[in-house]
Amino acid sequence: MSPGVRPHCAPSSSAPGRPGAAAPPPTGACSGRTGDGAGGGSPGPSQRNPEDEMGAKGWLPGRPVHLFPGSWLSSYLRASPIASARTICPTSCGIPCRFNWHAGPHHLCLVDGCIVGVAGGATRAALTMHQARRNNMADVSAKDGSQETLVSLAGLLVSLLMLPLVSDCPSLSLGCFFFLTALHIYANYRAVRALVIETLNEGRLWLVLKHFLQRGEVLGPASANQMEPLWTGFWPSLSLSLGVPLHRVTSSVFELQKLVEGHQEPYLLRWDPSQNQVQVVLSQMAGPETILRAATHGLVLGALQGDGPLPGELEGLRNRVRAGPEKESCVIVRETHRVLDKLFPKFLKGLQDAGWRTENHQLEVDEWRATWLLCPEKKLL
């Protein structure tokens, strides 16, 4: 994140929970372990913390967030401030802890906190790699941890100064919470918008490729990062799956031969125009450049079903896609292989000249790999 924006994030993210934590509980409500039976003996059922009970029994659903691929989390750097609400709602809103009807919203905030924690940990590595300009990740991590500790300490001091002012007024405490939450969202927005990432994810690759196909120029990292949407555009119209298992794209030797025929690239691509879906099988020899070409290939096929100007050969293929039957998808894929043999080297050189780092990427790639015999290259006499 930008050093000029980062100091505003930590105080506004740590301070909203302080007023709620110090707000006096209403009559008949419990706060933590206080109440009848607390202190001298073990707490009764009405004094037990629902968070502790459900966590001990394994009912807090924090594990499902691991179903999201790490590359997906690294590509879309987002955070949610809803988790901060769990520290203020049960105490300052007058909700008795002994009733079960408030447990749903409260534990929904807990689940959101789990999701934000795992997502933040996954995207933290991507940001550290982005900031390590000379492969000095250890140095960057150490400095980042020190700065975060210092800024969190400043936020703690500010919250301690605020507590005497808001502890006797629940409405003021709630107002401070919403104000600091809004400040937290704004600071995160400015920090994410200030990032200029030189590696390509699917969204940035599509923006750069679309501009290249329409105008013949490659956008630089600064321009593409400014054009990348933050609040919308998470789910593009094209479904691009890289690194799928072989049985997902072919079920017979005949279909495998049709996919291999006509190119020497270490990937197999299956395109379903009706669902606008592209599935790519990667070879054991596939490196970052091959994955980048496969993703470009899939996005070019998606562009054939879209609008906007295209180069001459691709414009002819678009007309064939719109007029021909869906059974010609294998033929179109084979033709786009030939087009990319000429187009992709220029596009790759343009990316490197514009300042993009093509030796690494942030594309969402699964770990499946396959081995097959390449089609013998035809020699022209």
Side-chain angles (χ1 to χ4, degrees):
M1 295 185 180
S2 174
V5 181
R6 181 70 178 269
H8 298 283
C9 298
S12 58
S13 62
S14 61
R18 306 298 179 185
T27 304
C30 63
S31 175
R33 298 296 186 185
T34 61
D36 295 337
S42 60
S46 62
Q47 285 82 39
R48 291 174 185 168
N49 194 337
E51 178 183 344
D52 296 339
E53 291 184 0
M54 297 187 72
K57 294 179 181 179
W59 292 349
L60 289 182
R63 293 298 181 183
V65 294
H66 295 290
L67 297 176
F68 293 99
S71 56
W72 186 88
L73 294 171
S74 300
S75 301
Y76 303 98
L77 309 178
R78 304 292 184 267
S80 174
I82 303 176
S84 302
R86 72 182 183 89
T87 60
I88 185 172
C89 289
T91 53
S92 65
C93 295
I95 302 176
C97 294
R98 62 169 60 96
F99 296 111
N100 292 329
W101 51 266
H102 92 285
H106 177 61
H107 288 102
L108 181 62
C109 294
L110 296 179
V111 173
D112 184 79
C114 295
I115 296 175
V116 170
V118 175
T123 56
R124 188 187 189 93
L127 291 176
T128 303
M129 291 178 61
H130 165 70
Q131 294 171 342
R133 299 294 181 175
R134 298 175 181 83
N135 295 325
N136 54 341
M137 286 192 61
D139 185 37
V140 173
S141 298
K143 291 180 179 179
D144 181 71
S146 301
Q147 292 177 3
E148 184 175 357
T149 302
L150 181 61
V151 175
S152 299
L153 178 60
L156 177 61
L157 295 177
V158 172
S159 64
L160 290 177
L161 294 176
M162 291 175 55
L163 287 179
L165 303 176
V166 302
S167 59
D168 295 332
C169 184
S171 60
L172 182 59
S173 175
L174 195 62
C176 290
F177 167 74
F178 285 116
F179 170 74
L180 292 172
T181 300
L183 179 62
H184 176 54
I185 296 175
Y186 175 73
N188 275 329
Y189 170 78
R190 292 295 303 272
V192 174
R193 183 54 81 183
L195 286 173
V196 179
I197 301 178
E198 295 89 357
T199 50
L200 292 165
N201 62 358
E202 185 178 340
R204 290 188 288 272
L205 178 60
W206 168 241
L207 289 173
V208 175
L209 178 63
K210 182 180 179 181
H211 191 271
F212 177 76
L213 294 177
Q214 293 180 352
R215 303 186 181 183
E217 301 175 352
V218 176
L219 288 173
S223 301
N225 277 268
Q226 288 297 319
M227 294 172 61
E228 185 181 11
L230 293 181
W231 303 105
T232 59
F234 290 105
W235 310 111
S237 58
L238 175 69
S239 176
L240 177 62
S241 302
L242 300 172
V244 301
L246 185 61
H247 67 82
R248 293 267 298 274
V249 301
T250 179
S251 58
S252 64
V253 177
F254 176 72
E255 293 180 357
L256 179 60
Q257 290 175 348
K258 291 178 63 177
L259 293 176
V260 174
E261 183 182 355
H263 68 92
Q264 295 288 321
E265 296 298 324
Y267 68 88
L268 303 177
L269 189 145
R270 180 180 178 272
W271 178 42
D272 187 354
S274 61
Q275 299 182 0
N276 202 14
Q277 183 182 50
V278 175
Q279 295 177 319
V280 180
V281 178
L282 298 174
S283 170
Q284 298 283 356
M285 301 178 295
E289 184 175 328
T290 299
I291 296 175
L292 186 60
R293 171 175 169 136
T296 304
H297 194 170
L299 293 176
V300 166
L301 291 172
L304 296 181
Q305 292 187 306
D307 299 324
L310 291 176
E313 294 182 80
L314 292 178
E315 188 66 38
L317 291 177
R318 172 189 281 175
N319 296 331
R320 290 176 57 182
V321 169
R322 293 177 175 177
E326 296 180 1
K327 294 182 179 179
E328 290 190 358
S329 60
C330 291
V331 180
I332 299 297
V333 170
R334 198 177 304 123
E335 292 294 331
T336 50
H337 268 293
R338 297 192 182 99
V339 173
L340 282 177
D341 287 339
K342 302 177 182 178
L343 188 66
F344 184 73
K346 299 178 183 178
F347 180 59
L348 182 63
K349 187 177 185 303
L351 289 174
Q352 295 170 349
D353 293 341
W356 292 98
R357 297 171 57 187
T358 57
E359 67 276 7
N360 297 315
H361 60 78
Q362 290 182 337
L363 297 168
E364 183 182 346
V365 185
D366 210 341
E367 298 303 323
W368 293 95
R369 297 295 182 269
T371 303
W372 62 88
L373 294 177
L374 297 177
C375 179
E377 188 176 358
K378 295 182 180 179
K379 297 182 179 181
L380 298 177
L381 298 178

